[in-house]
Amino acid sequence: MIILANDGIAAGAKAELEALGFTVDTDKYEGEALEQRIREVECIIIRSATKIREALIDKAVGGKLKLMIRAGVGLDNIDVKYAEEKGFVVRNTPTASSAAVAELAIAHMFSLARHIYIANVTMRNGEWNKKAYKGIELGGKTLGLIGFGRISQEVAKRAIALGMDVIYTDILGASDLVPEAKFVEFDEVLANSDFISLHIPFIPSVGVVLGDAEFAKMKDGVYLVDTARGKVVSEDALLKALDSGKVAAAALDVFEEEPTPNEAIYTHPKISLTPHIGAATSEAQDRIGEVTVAICKEVLL
Ligand SMILES: NC(=O)c1ccc[n+]([C@@H]2O[C@H](COP(=O)([O-])OP(=O)(O)OC[C@H]3O[C@@H](n4cnc5c(N)ncnc54)[C@H](O)[C@@H]3O)[C@@H](O)[C@H]2O)c1
Protein backbone atom coordinates (compact mmCIF):
# COMPACT_ATOMS: atom_id res chain seq x y z
CA MET A 1 0.00 0.00 0.00
CA ILE A 2 1.19 3.50 -0.79
CA ILE A 3 0.96 6.45 1.57
CA LEU A 4 1.41 9.88 0.02
CA ALA A 5 2.85 12.36 2.54
CA ASN A 6 2.25 15.37 0.33
CA ASP A 7 3.48 17.99 2.85
CA GLY A 8 6.26 15.81 4.30
CA ILE A 9 6.35 13.53 7.36
CA ALA A 10 8.66 13.12 10.39
CA ALA A 11 11.58 10.78 9.57
CA GLY A 12 10.72 8.42 12.46
CA ALA A 13 7.12 8.02 11.32
CA LYS A 14 8.21 7.37 7.72
CA ALA A 15 10.61 4.65 8.91
CA GLU A 16 7.90 3.05 11.08
CA LEU A 17 5.39 3.03 8.23
CA GLU A 18 7.98 1.47 5.93
CA ALA A 19 8.76 -1.16 8.57
CA LEU A 20 5.03 -2.01 8.55
CA GLY A 21 5.29 -2.61 4.79
CA PHE A 22 3.88 0.67 3.46
CA THR A 23 5.58 2.58 0.65
CA VAL A 24 5.81 6.24 1.68
CA ASP A 25 5.91 8.77 -1.14
CA THR A 26 7.19 12.15 0.08
CA ASP A 27 7.18 13.87 -3.31
CA LYS A 28 5.03 17.01 -3.51
CA TYR A 29 2.20 16.81 -6.05
CA GLU A 30 0.06 19.75 -7.10
CA GLY A 31 -2.73 20.43 -9.59
CA GLU A 32 -3.29 17.70 -12.18
CA ALA A 33 -0.37 15.62 -10.90
CA LEU A 34 -2.06 15.45 -7.47
CA GLU A 35 -5.43 14.63 -9.06
CA GLN A 36 -3.75 11.65 -10.74
CA ARG A 37 -1.58 10.53 -7.79
CA ILE A 38 -4.42 10.63 -5.24
CA ARG A 39 -6.13 7.80 -7.18
CA GLU A 40 -3.06 5.56 -6.88
CA VAL A 41 -2.48 5.72 -3.11
CA GLU A 42 -4.36 4.19 -0.17
CA CYS A 43 -3.73 7.15 2.11
CA ILE A 44 -2.86 10.82 1.80
CA ILE A 45 -1.27 12.68 4.71
CA ILE A 46 -1.23 16.48 4.60
CA ARG A 47 -0.21 19.36 6.86
CA SER A 48 -1.61 22.86 6.25
CA ALA A 49 -0.25 23.47 2.73
CA THR A 50 -2.23 20.95 0.65
CA LYS A 51 -5.95 21.58 0.27
CA ILE A 52 -8.36 18.70 -0.29
CA ARG A 53 -11.45 20.34 -1.75
CA GLU A 54 -14.53 18.79 -3.37
CA ALA A 55 -13.02 18.76 -6.89
CA LEU A 56 -9.98 16.76 -5.73
CA ILE A 57 -12.19 14.41 -3.69
CA ASP A 58 -14.25 13.74 -6.84
CA LYS A 59 -11.04 12.72 -8.64
CA ALA A 60 -10.18 10.30 -5.83
CA VAL A 61 -13.54 8.49 -6.04
CA GLY A 62 -13.10 5.11 -7.73
CA GLY A 63 -9.37 5.02 -7.04
CA LYS A 64 -7.48 3.25 -4.24
CA LEU A 65 -7.76 6.02 -1.65
CA LYS A 66 -9.36 5.10 1.70
CA LEU A 67 -7.86 7.46 4.27
CA MET A 68 -7.04 11.18 4.53
CA ILE A 69 -4.97 12.31 7.50
CA ARG A 70 -4.47 15.92 8.50
CA ALA A 71 -1.20 15.74 10.45
CA GLY A 72 -2.20 18.54 12.81
CA VAL A 73 -5.34 20.05 14.33
CA GLY A 74 -7.22 22.35 11.94
CA LEU A 75 -9.33 20.43 9.43
CA ASP A 76 -10.25 23.57 7.48
CA ASN A 77 -8.11 22.55 4.49
CA ILE A 78 -10.16 19.38 3.93
CA ASP A 79 -13.83 19.36 2.88
CA VAL A 80 -14.45 16.80 5.60
CA LYS A 81 -18.21 16.35 5.29
CA TYR A 82 -17.99 15.88 1.52
CA ALA A 83 -15.08 13.43 1.83
CA GLU A 84 -16.95 11.38 4.43
CA GLU A 85 -20.09 11.36 2.26
CA LYS A 86 -17.96 9.89 -0.53
CA GLY A 87 -16.83 7.12 1.83
CA PHE A 88 -13.36 8.30 2.80
CA VAL A 89 -12.10 8.15 6.39
CA VAL A 90 -10.80 11.55 7.53
CA ARG A 91 -8.68 11.89 10.67
CA ASN A 92 -6.48 14.48 12.39
CA THR A 93 -4.08 14.48 15.35
CA PRO A 94 -5.83 16.82 17.80
CA THR A 95 -3.71 16.53 20.95
CA ALA A 96 -0.20 16.13 19.55
CA SER A 97 0.63 19.82 19.14
CA SER A 98 -1.24 21.50 22.01
CA ALA A 99 1.88 22.14 24.13
CA ALA A 100 3.83 23.48 21.16
CA VAL A 101 1.15 25.99 20.21
CA ALA A 102 0.65 27.00 23.84
CA GLU A 103 4.38 27.69 24.27
CA LEU A 104 4.38 29.79 21.09
CA ALA A 105 1.45 31.88 22.35
CA ILE A 106 3.28 32.51 25.64
CA ALA A 107 6.52 33.28 23.74
CA HIS A 108 4.65 35.89 21.69
CA MET A 109 3.24 37.44 24.87
CA PHE A 110 6.76 37.89 26.27
CA SER A 111 7.92 39.20 22.90
CA LEU A 112 5.18 41.86 22.89
CA ALA A 113 5.58 42.78 26.55
CA ARG A 114 9.32 43.41 26.18
CA HIS A 115 9.49 44.58 22.52
CA ILE A 116 11.76 41.63 21.70
CA TYR A 117 10.45 41.24 18.15
CA ILE A 118 11.10 44.85 17.17
CA ALA A 119 14.35 45.26 19.17
CA ASN A 120 15.72 42.40 17.07
CA VAL A 121 14.95 44.37 13.92
CA THR A 122 16.23 47.78 15.04
CA MET A 123 19.46 46.47 16.61
CA ARG A 124 20.29 44.76 13.34
CA ASN A 125 19.91 48.22 11.75
CA GLY A 126 22.53 49.60 14.15
CA GLU A 127 20.04 51.33 16.50
CA TRP A 128 20.24 51.36 20.33
CA ASN A 129 16.65 52.21 21.33
CA LYS A 130 16.95 51.43 25.04
CA LYS A 131 14.53 54.18 26.12
CA ALA A 132 11.84 53.18 23.61
CA TYR A 133 11.72 49.63 24.93
CA LYS A 134 10.41 50.03 28.43
CA GLY A 135 8.11 47.04 28.74
CA ILE A 136 5.60 45.50 31.11
CA GLU A 137 5.57 42.30 33.15
CA LEU A 138 3.14 39.47 32.50
CA GLY A 139 2.80 38.73 36.22
CA GLY A 140 -0.33 40.34 37.68
CA LYS A 141 -1.89 40.98 34.24
CA THR A 142 -5.19 39.50 33.11
CA LEU A 143 -5.07 37.07 30.21
CA GLY A 144 -8.36 36.54 28.38
CA LEU A 145 -8.65 33.35 26.37
CA ILE A 146 -11.17 33.02 23.55
CA GLY A 147 -11.95 29.31 23.25
CA PHE A 148 -11.00 26.94 26.04
CA GLY A 149 -10.12 23.69 24.31
CA ARG A 150 -6.91 21.68 24.36
CA ILE A 151 -4.44 24.44 23.42
CA SER A 152 -6.09 27.16 25.47
CA GLN A 153 -6.00 25.03 28.63
CA GLU A 154 -2.25 24.53 28.16
CA VAL A 155 -1.84 28.31 27.74
CA ALA A 156 -3.90 28.86 30.90
CA LYS A 157 -1.71 26.53 33.00
CA ARG A 158 1.47 28.26 31.85
CA ALA A 159 0.02 31.76 32.32
CA ILE A 160 -1.13 30.89 35.85
CA ALA A 161 2.38 29.65 36.65
CA LEU A 162 3.66 33.07 35.49
CA GLY A 163 1.36 34.84 37.96
CA MET A 164 -1.29 35.95 35.48
CA ASP A 165 -5.02 36.03 36.22
CA VAL A 166 -6.74 33.92 33.59
CA ILE A 167 -10.30 34.41 32.35
CA TYR A 168 -11.79 32.57 29.40
CA THR A 169 -14.88 32.21 27.29
CA ASP A 170 -16.06 29.24 25.23
CA ILE A 171 -19.28 28.45 23.38
CA LEU A 172 -19.39 25.19 25.36
CA GLY A 173 -19.58 27.13 28.64
CA ALA A 174 -17.52 26.67 31.81
CA SER A 175 -15.02 23.86 32.31
CA ASP A 176 -13.43 22.65 35.54
CA LEU A 177 -10.25 21.37 33.87
CA VAL A 178 -8.10 24.32 34.98
CA PRO A 179 -9.75 25.39 38.26
CA GLU A 180 -7.75 28.63 38.67
CA ALA A 181 -9.06 29.93 35.33
CA LYS A 182 -12.44 31.71 35.47
CA PHE A 183 -15.22 31.38 32.88
CA VAL A 184 -16.77 34.71 31.81
CA GLU A 185 -18.95 35.91 28.93
CA PHE A 186 -17.28 36.86 25.63
CA ASP A 187 -17.79 40.62 26.20
CA GLU A 188 -16.16 40.37 29.64
CA VAL A 189 -13.04 38.86 28.08
CA LEU A 190 -12.97 41.82 25.69
CA ALA A 191 -13.51 44.42 28.43
CA ASN A 192 -11.24 43.05 31.16
CA SER A 193 -8.16 41.53 29.52
CA ASP A 194 -4.68 43.04 29.31
CA PHE A 195 -3.74 40.25 26.90
CA ILE A 196 -6.18 38.38 24.64
CA SER A 197 -5.22 35.09 23.02
CA LEU A 198 -7.43 33.24 20.52
CA HIS A 199 -7.72 29.44 20.46
CA ILE A 200 -10.75 28.69 18.29
CA PRO A 201 -11.22 27.15 14.84
CA PHE A 202 -12.26 29.26 11.86
CA ILE A 203 -15.83 28.32 11.04
CA PRO A 204 -16.94 29.90 7.72
CA SER A 205 -20.58 30.22 8.85
CA VAL A 206 -19.42 32.12 11.98
CA GLY A 207 -16.79 34.18 10.16
CA VAL A 208 -14.75 36.91 11.87
CA VAL A 209 -14.84 36.78 15.67
CA LEU A 210 -12.83 39.97 16.32
CA GLY A 211 -13.85 42.90 14.11
CA ASP A 212 -14.30 46.66 14.64
CA ALA A 213 -17.14 46.24 17.16
CA GLU A 214 -15.16 43.79 19.31
CA PHE A 215 -11.96 45.87 19.24
CA ALA A 216 -14.02 48.86 20.42
CA LYS A 217 -15.02 46.90 23.55
CA MET A 218 -11.42 46.09 24.54
CA LYS A 219 -9.28 47.91 27.11
CA ASP A 220 -7.08 50.65 25.69
CA GLY A 221 -3.57 49.29 25.19
CA VAL A 222 -4.57 45.61 25.08
CA TYR A 223 -2.14 43.07 23.56
CA LEU A 224 -3.52 40.51 21.09
CA VAL A 225 -2.11 37.09 20.19
CA ASP A 226 -3.53 34.94 17.38
CA THR A 227 -2.09 31.46 16.95
CA ALA A 228 -5.48 30.02 15.92
CA ARG A 229 -6.55 31.03 12.40
CA GLY A 230 -5.97 34.29 10.53
CA LYS A 231 -9.56 34.62 9.40
CA VAL A 232 -11.00 34.77 12.95
CA VAL A 233 -9.54 38.29 13.30
CA SER A 234 -10.30 41.03 10.76
CA GLU A 235 -6.84 42.24 9.72
CA ASP A 236 -8.35 45.59 8.62
CA ALA A 237 -9.92 46.08 12.04
CA LEU A 238 -6.67 45.05 13.75
CA LEU A 239 -4.63 47.55 11.71
CA LYS A 240 -7.06 50.34 12.65
CA ALA A 241 -6.93 49.33 16.31
CA LEU A 242 -3.10 49.27 16.27
CA ASP A 243 -2.90 52.67 14.60
CA SER A 244 -5.38 54.25 17.05
CA GLY A 245 -3.49 52.80 20.04
CA LYS A 246 -6.49 50.68 21.16
CA VAL A 247 -4.26 47.63 20.67
CA ALA A 248 -0.72 48.23 21.97
CA ALA A 249 0.79 45.44 19.88
CA ALA A 250 -0.25 42.16 18.29
CA ALA A 251 1.39 38.82 17.60
CA LEU A 252 0.31 36.72 14.65
CA ASP A 253 1.27 33.17 13.72
CA VAL A 254 -1.64 32.88 11.29
CA PHE A 255 -2.90 35.20 8.56
CA GLU A 256 -5.92 35.86 6.37
CA GLU A 257 -3.72 35.00 3.38
CA GLU A 258 -1.04 32.30 3.74
CA PRO A 259 1.73 32.01 2.66
CA THR A 260 1.54 35.58 1.29
CA PRO A 261 0.23 37.82 4.11
CA ASN A 262 -0.89 41.39 3.48
CA GLU A 263 2.04 43.81 3.27
CA ALA A 264 0.36 46.21 5.72
CA ILE A 265 0.45 43.39 8.27
CA TYR A 266 3.98 42.05 7.82
CA THR A 267 5.55 45.52 7.67
CA HIS A 268 3.66 46.91 10.68
CA PRO A 269 6.03 47.96 13.51
CA LYS A 270 3.59 46.82 16.22
CA ILE A 271 3.13 43.26 14.99
CA SER A 272 5.27 40.29 16.07
CA LEU A 273 5.25 37.71 13.27
CA THR A 274 5.85 34.00 12.87
CA PRO A 275 5.02 32.00 9.71
CA HIS A 276 2.41 29.50 11.04
CA ILE A 277 4.90 27.59 13.19
CA GLY A 278 2.59 26.79 16.12
CA ALA A 279 3.05 23.03 15.80
CA ALA A 280 6.58 23.20 14.42
CA THR A 281 8.59 21.73 17.28
CA SER A 282 10.56 18.50 17.07
CA GLU A 283 8.51 17.06 19.93
CA ALA A 284 5.13 17.94 18.39
CA GLN A 285 6.16 16.63 14.97
CA ASP A 286 7.33 13.37 16.59
CA ARG A 287 4.02 13.05 18.47
CA ILE A 288 2.06 13.85 15.29
CA GLY A 289 4.12 11.14 13.54
CA GLU A 290 3.31 8.56 16.25
CA VAL A 291 -0.43 9.30 16.05
CA THR A 292 -0.31 9.18 12.25
CA VAL A 293 1.31 5.74 12.30
CA ALA A 294 -1.33 4.52 14.78
CA ILE A 295 -4.14 5.78 12.51
CA CYS A 296 -2.63 4.07 9.43
CA LYS A 297 -2.35 0.79 11.35
CA GLU A 298 -5.91 1.05 12.63
CA VAL A 299 -7.58 2.00 9.35
CA LEU A 300 -5.42 0.33 6.68
CA LEU A 301 -4.09 -2.92 8.19
N1 LIG B 1 -0.73 27.96 14.80
C1 LIG B 1 -0.74 26.66 14.59
O1 LIG B 1 0.18 26.10 14.01
C2 LIG B 1 -1.90 25.84 15.10
C3 LIG B 1 -1.68 24.50 15.45
C4 LIG B 1 -2.75 23.77 15.96
C5 LIG B 1 -4.01 24.35 16.06
N2 LIG B 1 -4.19 25.64 15.68
C6 LIG B 1 -5.52 26.27 15.79
O2 LIG B 1 -5.91 26.28 17.14
C7 LIG B 1 -7.31 26.02 17.21
C8 LIG B 1 -7.64 25.46 18.58
O3 LIG B 1 -7.07 24.17 18.72
P1 LIG B 1 -7.48 23.21 19.93
O4 LIG B 1 -6.70 21.95 19.75
O5 LIG B 1 -7.39 23.94 21.21
O6 LIG B 1 -9.01 22.94 19.54
P2 LIG B 1 -10.17 22.44 20.48
O7 LIG B 1 -11.24 21.91 19.57
O8 LIG B 1 -9.64 21.57 21.56
O9 LIG B 1 -10.71 23.80 21.18
C9 LIG B 1 -11.39 24.80 20.48
C10 LIG B 1 -12.40 25.40 21.45
O10 LIG B 1 -12.94 26.59 20.88
C11 LIG B 1 -14.31 26.65 21.24
N3 LIG B 1 -14.94 27.59 20.30
C12 LIG B 1 -15.18 27.41 18.98
N4 LIG B 1 -15.69 28.54 18.44
C13 LIG B 1 -15.74 29.45 19.44
C14 LIG B 1 -16.16 30.80 19.51
N5 LIG B 1 -16.60 31.47 18.43
N6 LIG B 1 -16.10 31.43 20.71
C15 LIG B 1 -15.66 30.77 21.80
N7 LIG B 1 -15.25 29.48 21.80
C16 LIG B 1 -15.29 28.84 20.62
C17 LIG B 1 -14.79 25.22 21.16
O11 LIG B 1 -15.96 25.03 21.90
C18 LIG B 1 -13.58 24.47 21.75
O12 LIG B 1 -13.69 24.31 23.15
C19 LIG B 1 -7.54 25.03 16.06
O13 LIG B 1 -8.87 25.06 15.62
C20 LIG B 1 -6.60 25.51 15.01
O14 LIG B 1 -7.28 26.42 14.14
C21 LIG B 1 -3.17 26.40 15.20
Side-chain angles (χ1 to χ4, degrees):
M1 282 192 264
I2 305 172
I3 294 174
L4 170 60
N6 208 48
D7 298 326
I9 184 167
K14 180 171 186 276
E16 268 194 68
L17 288 169
E18 286 170 344
L20 288 166
F22 294 106
T23 299
V24 182
D25 181 353
T26 54
D27 287 347
K28 172 98 183 163
Y29 298 83
E30 281 172 308
E32 282 179 21
L34 180 58
E35 289 176 358
Q36 176 59 36
R37 190 59 174 148
I38 202 168
R39 300 179 57 79
E40 301 164 351
V41 302
E42 275 73 12
C43 168
I44 180 168
I45 303 173
I46 62 168
R47 290 178 175 152
S48 52
T50 301
K51 315 261 181 286
I52 304 184
R53 298 291 171 224
E54 291 186 5
L56 182 60
I57 295 166
D58 285 339
K59 298 283 179 191
V61 173
K64 291 185 175 171
L65 192 77
K66 291 193 187 77
L67 172 63
M68 302 175 186
I69 302 179
R70 161 72 168 102
V73 180
L75 277 161
D76 41 358
N77 52 337
I78 303 182
D79 286 338
V80 177
K81 194 162 166 279
Y82 191 74
E84 288 176 344
E85 278 166 14
K86 297 287 174 188
F88 299 107
V89 177
V90 183
R91 300 283 284 272
N92 64 344
T93 61
T95 56
S97 51
S98 306
V101 184
E103 287 195 10
L104 183 71
I106 297 281
H108 269 304
M109 283 163 53
F110 277 121
S111 179
L112 297 181
R114 303 305 294 271
H115 308 279
I116 297 169
Y117 65 104
I118 193 71
N120 262 289
V121 176
T122 55
M123 280 200 78
R124 277 171 226 278
N125 292 336
E127 296 172 42
W128 183 263
N129 288 341
K130 190 174 162 85
K131 284 198 181 132
Y133 298 148
K134 187 167 95 185
I136 58 162
E137 295 168 13
L138 298 187
K141 300 298 181 302
T142 297
L143 169 63
L145 298 168
I146 299 180
F148 202 60
R150 286 168 283 246
I151 295 170
S152 194
Q153 290 161 23
E154 294 303 315
V155 175
K157 288 180 209 162
R158 287 158 177 78
I160 288 160
L162 292 168
M164 300 187 86
D165 295 320
V166 177
I167 57 177
Y168 69 91
T169 194
D170 194 294
I171 48 174
L172 297 179
S175 148
D176 52 10
L177 288 169
V178 185
E180 302 94 329
K182 185 178 164 219
F183 173 79
V184 297
E185 295 301 328
F186 179 65
D187 277 0
E188 289 180 64
V189 166
L190 301 180
N192 296 320
S193 302
D194 302 303
F195 287 78
I196 293 178
S197 188
L198 292 135
H199 302 285
I200 54 177
F202 174 67
I203 303 170
S205 58
V206 175
V208 167
V209 172
L210 296 184
D212 288 322
E214 289 73 29
F215 280 110
K217 292 177 186 167
M218 294 178 193
K219 270 192 186 179
D220 290 339
V222 64
Y223 293 83
L224 182 77
V225 178
D226 186 7
T227 57
R229 281 292 178 269
K231 289 189 170 127
V232 299
V233 178
S234 157
E235 289 182 353
D236 275 348
L238 173 61
L239 288 166
K240 278 189 256 166
L242 284 164
D243 292 340
S244 72
K246 169 59 88 176
V247 174
L252 303 177
D253 185 50
V254 287
F255 303 86
E256 282 179 2
E257 295 299 330
E258 296 182 16
T260 49
N262 296 327
E263 194 175 347
I265 290 284
Y266 72 74
T267 57
H268 200 288
K270 291 185 186 173
I271 302 183
S272 174
L273 303 152
T274 46
H276 203 147
I277 56 166
T281 64
S282 307
E283 296 85 345
Q285 291 305 313
D286 286 349
R287 282 193 294 270
I288 288 172
E290 282 165 26
V291 178
T292 303
V293 173
I295 295 169
C296 289
K297 271 184 173 166
E298 178 202 321
V299 178
L300 298 175
L301 294 183

